[in-house]
Amino acid sequence: MGKLFERFPDPLARLIVVVFALAVVGVIVVFGLIPKSMMDVDAQWASAVKREEARPIKFAGFHACAECHDKLYETKKKGYHRDLSCETCHGPAKAHTEDPDKVKPDIPAQRAFCPQCHAYDPSRPRGFPQINPVAHNPLKACASCHNPHDPKPPTTPKECSACHGEIARMKAVSHHVQLECTTCHDAPQQHKVSPRAVKPTKPQTREFCGKCHRKDAKDKMAKNAPKIDLAEHGEKYVCWQCHYPHSPEVEQ
Ligand code: HEC
Ligand code: HEC
Ligand code: HEC
Ligand code: HEC
Ligand code: HEC
Ligand code: HEC
Ligand code: HEC
Ligand code: HEC
């Protein structure tokens, strides 16, 4: 290299030599050393498809199970777990469908499994059925009370507090402790069986609270209720924009 440079004393000529040498190296690398499959998009796709095709298929898909487990398949289709694939819970089961006697899928019977979806998590959509796994019937398998293929509450709860524990506990230490939930909500019996499909009513008007709180209120519960002037008191808003109805308080 040193000798080569002596033949070109002019710095500009030396620069040209260096650039030319780099260009030659570049051409060799691009056309000689990089494999064709890395430069050709079609070739890249073809090799990716081959690579994926070579992987073993582990999941059989939802409908494959229907062939032999038709009863379970039909049961599940009508229940709350209709949108869950069998293999969401039983794991990949392709091998099982091919040789059901030898290969058995997982059975997720342990308590820790179901809370992956059902443990209380504030980021889940409001109304998604959630429980506190520590407090909710501890020590027993979930499947001992809920059929995993058609989950429902095993018995219809009698009390509103079974499902609205927080509201019930709050009301129990509030000024409204003596009022029943049904004083303010008309709750059809069916609400306790399919709560999201059949909803109770909620008070809609100021006059509703006025039944007990307006000056000339006649309700039998109105006797001990502090009175307000319904026409003037907070007149632009419904009452529960200022007073939480399950624990009404008056700021001192
Ligand atoms: C070709 C028929 C066939 C297909 C398809 C099939 N199974 Fe099975 N499966 C069986 C048989 C047979 C048994 C054993 C029955 C028994 O023990 O009562 C079984 C048992 C099971 C068990 C219980 C295993 C145990 O340890 O008791 C599970 C869970 C299961 N299958 C899940 C699935 C899932 C999920 C699919 C769909 C991906 C599926 N099966 C598809 C035939 C099939
Ligand atoms: C939400 C999770 C979940 C889904 C979805 C699910 N399973 Fe299960 N499966 C379980 C659990 C948990 C058990 C164990 C039940 C027990 O211990 O009594 C079980 C048990 C079984 C058994 C053993 C026999 C029995 O009836 O107890 C079979 C067979 C089975 N499942 C097949 C299926 C098939 C087929 C599907 C889809 C149609 C499916 N499972 C969907 C959780 C699930
Ligand atoms: C992959 C997530 C997932 C897993 C795992 C799962 N569930 Fe569910 N579960 C759901 C979905 C989704 C619903 C339907 C929610 C709806 O309709 O709004 C549901 C509904 C339910 C309900 C109905 C609640 C009601 O509204 O009355 C019960 C009970 C239930 N699951 C119990 C279980 C049990 C027991 C297991 C374990 C064997 C389990 N779930 C595992 C997703 C899951
Ligand atoms: C001893 C029986 C029993 C066991 C065990 C049990 N549950 Fe429940 N579950 C109930 C009853 C009863 C209800 C109805 C509401 C209530 O009384 O708390 C219910 C309600 C639910 C609901 C519906 C809540 C709603 O807001 O609609 C879900 C989800 C649920 N259980 C999931 C589970 C999971 C997950 C497990 C296991 C970690 C489990 N349950 C174990 C009896 C049981
Ligand atoms: C089996 C469980 C369960 C029982 C028992 C139950 N509820 Fe509910 N309730 C729910 C669920 C779940 C919702 C829906 C929550 C959501 O969508 O966020 C709900 C919603 C409501 C709502 C709101 C309706 C709306 O339009 O927003 C009211 C009010 C209500 N319940 C009152 C009651 C009263 C009063 C009782 C007793 C007579 C009762 N509930 C018993 C589960 C229950
Ligand atoms: C004094 C009347 C009153 C009583 C008693 C009452 N509620 Fe309510 N409740 C309301 C009003 C008003 C709303 C509407 C609040 C809103 O729209 O912001 C409401 C809303 C609700 C909601 C919808 C969710 C929420 O927190 O806004 C549920 C669920 C509910 N009530 C359940 C109950 C249960 C369960 C009881 C008994 C433990 C009960 N309520 C007792 C007046 C009452
Ligand atoms: C059936 C009668 C009845 C209805 C309907 C009723 N209340 Fe009351 N309310 C009472 C009684 C009784 C008390 C006083 C209890 C006590 O402290 O002795 C009370 C107390 C209050 C207080 C005073 C709390 C304090 O700190 O002194 C407020 C605020 C209140 N209610 C708001 C409401 C609102 C808002 C509604 C409508 C959603 C409503 N009430 C519906 C009976 C009722
Ligand atoms: C704009 C907010 C606002 C609205 C809307 C509102 N309140 Fe009040 N309320 C207050 C405040 C603040 C107090 C305490 C100061 C006072 O007595 O004016 C209070 C006090 C009360 C008291 C206690 C009075 C006493 O003498 O102890 C009752 C009962 C009451 N409100 C009921 C209602 C009812 C019923 C409605 C609906 C018709 C309603 N409020 C609407 C803000 C409001």
Side-chain angles (χ1 to χ4, degrees), residues 154-194:
T155 50
T156 307
K158 289 196 188 64
E159 308 290 337
C160 311
S161 59
C163 307
H164 298 291
E166 201 178 322
I167 290 175
R169 285 190 294 278
M170 199 182 288
K171 188 175 77 63
V173 294
S174 82
H175 289 283
H176 277 167
V177 59
Q178 306 212 32
L179 310 192
E180 302 290 339
C181 307
T182 47
T183 307
C184 302
H185 300 288
D186 278 332
Q189 190 57 27
Q190 192 61 22
H191 173 65
K192 296 180 178 174
V193 184
S194 32

Side-chain angles (χ1 to χ4, degrees), residues 45-111:
W45 283 356
S47 70
V49 167
K50 262 196 208 134
R51 193 174 62 233
E52 294 304 315
E53 275 178 353
R55 292 184 192 223
I57 293 176
K58 292 184 182 159
F59 287 91
F62 181 26
H63 300 293
C65 316
E67 189 189 327
C68 308
H69 299 289
D70 49 335
K71 261 202 194 138
L72 276 176
Y73 181 86
E74 291 302 324
T75 309
K76 194 177 79 61
K77 218 162 76 176
K78 293 187 206 101
Y80 280 110
H81 279 167
R82 59 188 166 274
D83 293 335
L84 266 55
S85 157
C86 311
E87 289 166 302
T88 307
C89 295
H90 289 294
K94 172 89 171 150
H96 166 69
T97 59
E98 282 156 3
D99 192 352
D101 291 326
K102 270 223 194 87
V103 188
K104 301 282 188 209
D106 279 347
I107 292 197
Q110 67 283 12
R111 250 184 92 90

Side-chain angles (χ1 to χ4, degrees), residues 1-245:
M1 199 67 175
K3 273 192 186 151
L4 186 68
F5 269 33
E6 275 168 25
R7 286 219 249 148
F8 296 97
D10 182 358
L12 188 63
R14 284 181 180 181
L15 190 64
I16 289 170
V17 168
V18 170
V19 169
F20 182 71
L22 285 177
V24 170
V25 170
V27 168
I28 291 172
V29 167
V30 169
F31 289 99
L33 299 180
I34 298 180
K36 189 162 173 281
S37 67
M38 280 180 73
M39 299 199 303
D40 178 356
V41 176
D42 289 338
Q44 268 180 43
W45 283 356
S47 70
V49 167
K50 262 196 208 134
R51 193 174 62 233
E52 294 304 315
E53 275 178 353
R55 292 184 192 223
I57 293 176
K58 292 184 182 159
F59 287 91
F62 181 26
H63 300 293
C65 316
E67 189 189 327
C68 308
H69 299 289
D70 49 335
K71 261 202 194 138
L72 276 176
Y73 181 86
E74 291 302 324
T75 309
K76 194 177 79 61
K77 218 162 76 176
K78 293 187 206 101
Y80 280 110
H81 279 167
R82 59 188 166 274
D83 293 335
L84 266 55
S85 157
C86 311
E87 289 166 302
T88 307
C89 295
H90 289 294
K94 172 89 171 150
H96 166 69
T97 59
E98 282 156 3
D99 192 352
D101 291 326
K102 270 223 194 87
V103 188
K104 301 282 188 209
D106 279 347
I107 292 197
Q110 67 283 12
R111 250 184 92 90
F113 177 75
C114 315
Q116 286 178 60
C117 293
H118 288 292
Y120 177 72
D121 180 339
S123 69
R124 292 202 164 119
R126 206 172 155 258
F128 184 80
Q130 302 182 66
I131 49 138
N132 174 348
V134 179
H136 184 79
N137 303 297
L139 305 179
K140 292 198 196 112
C142 311
S144 67
C145 294
H146 305 284
N147 177 351
H149 306 123
D150 183 15
K152 297 188 253 237
T155 50
T156 307
K158 289 196 188 64
E159 308 290 337
C160 311
S161 59
C163 307
H164 298 291
E166 201 178 322
I167 290 175
R169 285 190 294 278
M170 199 182 288
K171 188 175 77 63
V173 294
S174 82
H175 289 283
H176 277 167
V177 59
Q178 306 212 32
L179 310 192
E180 302 290 339
C181 307
T182 47
T183 307
C184 302
H185 300 288
D186 278 332
Q189 190 57 27
Q190 192 61 22
H191 173 65
K192 296 180 178 174
V193 184
S194 32
R196 270 167 274 269
V198 180
K199 292 201 173 164
T201 59
K202 291 190 282 191
Q204 300 295 331
T205 61
R206 292 165 51 82
E207 283 68 33
F208 180 87
C209 309
K211 271 199 311 194
C212 295
H213 289 293
R214 64 168 198 265
K215 291 229 169 81
D216 56 346
K218 301 234 161 47
D219 194 283
K220 63 181 184 325
M221 294 292 292
K223 198 160 68 86
N224 298 325
K227 302 297 186 286
I228 45 126
D229 182 340
L230 194 58
E232 302 221 323
H233 181 84
E235 81 280 11
K236 283 200 203 115
Y237 308 94
V238 285
C239 316
W240 43 94
Q241 277 171 290
C242 296
H243 303 286
Y244 187 51

